[in-house]
Amino acid sequence: VPKIEPQTAGCNCNLSWLAMPLAEQLVRAIASAPASALLYYMFSQSFRLLSSYTAYFFTLFLTWTLVVVVFKKVLVGTFKPGNYSFGSSWFFIRELFVSILGEWFGAGGDFWLGSAYMNSMVRWLGGRVGHGAVIEGVLSEIDLVQVGEGSIVEEGAMVQPHTFEHRVMKCQPIKIGKMCIVGSGSTLL
């Protein structure tokens, strides 16, 4: 079998820039390229870096979302109306879930407030959300909350289907009707 050599005769290719550090590439680009080419290079590198970080954090956030949903479904189950003692195991698991959900918001969940993704998250966690509803506030014991079609829970509002009376947590469902607004700073019990 004859050995075939690559044809380089007449090729004016200089690939030595591949081995150069990025700083040296930038210095050479500044010295030899027009301003438009330099700007293109800078923006393309910035976009590549930004898109890789964005993909990383989005993947991390989706993973954290999956952890929250699985934790709720497997360990917490469904929140049901009833009376629960302050020191019970159910109360401890509920508090742990509330803490994990708070961490989810801190990890980027608050970015999705008011979006269709937030409505999906509430549904995945057992809540009932009508078409066109906007949720920007806090829903506690999500299984006991129903938000009607076109309703708005504004940022800073809290829908809390429980009260504490004599070291007992009493849970009852809350239904927000169609086209209602729960204003910022208000609390529904």
Side-chain angles (χ1 to χ4, degrees), residues 79-82 122 126-130 135 138-149 151-153 157-163 169-178 180-182 186-189:
F79 290 114
K80 296 178 181 164
V122 169
R128 293 171 301 231
V129 180
I135 299 174
V138 176
L139 306 180
S140 134
E141 289 85 39
I142 294 174
D143 297 303
L144 298 174
V145 176
Q146 180 176 350
V147 179
E149 187 175 315
S151 292
I152 300 171
V153 179
M158 177 172 240
V159 180
Q160 178 179 310
H162 72 264
T163 60
M169 183 175 174
K170 297 182 177 183
C171 297
Q172 291 298 322
I174 292 180
K175 180 179 180 180
I176 300 169
K178 286 183 177 181
C180 294
I181 297 175
V182 179
S186 62
T187 301
L188 294 181
L189 296 173

Side-chain angles (χ1 to χ4, degrees), residues 8-81:
T8 58
C11 179
N12 199 7
C13 301
N14 180 5
L15 300 179
S16 62
W17 62 271
L18 288 173
M20 282 188 236
L22 184 59
E24 189 175 340
Q25 289 180 34
L26 285 173
V27 169
R28 288 184 183 230
I30 290 170
S32 65
S36 60
L38 178 61
L39 288 175
Y40 173 77
Y41 177 78
M42 288 171 44
F43 283 123
S44 66
Q45 294 300 320
S46 299
F47 181 74
R48 185 178 68 176
L49 185 65
L50 181 63
S51 63
S52 65
Y53 282 128
T54 303
Y56 170 75
F57 286 114
F58 189 70
T59 304
L60 187 65
F61 179 72
L62 287 180
T63 304
W64 190 237
T65 299
L66 182 65
V67 166
V68 170
V69 171
V70 168
F71 182 85
K72 165 73 169 62
K73 298 290 184 187
V74 173
L75 290 178
V76 177
T78 303
F79 290 114
K80 296 178 181 164

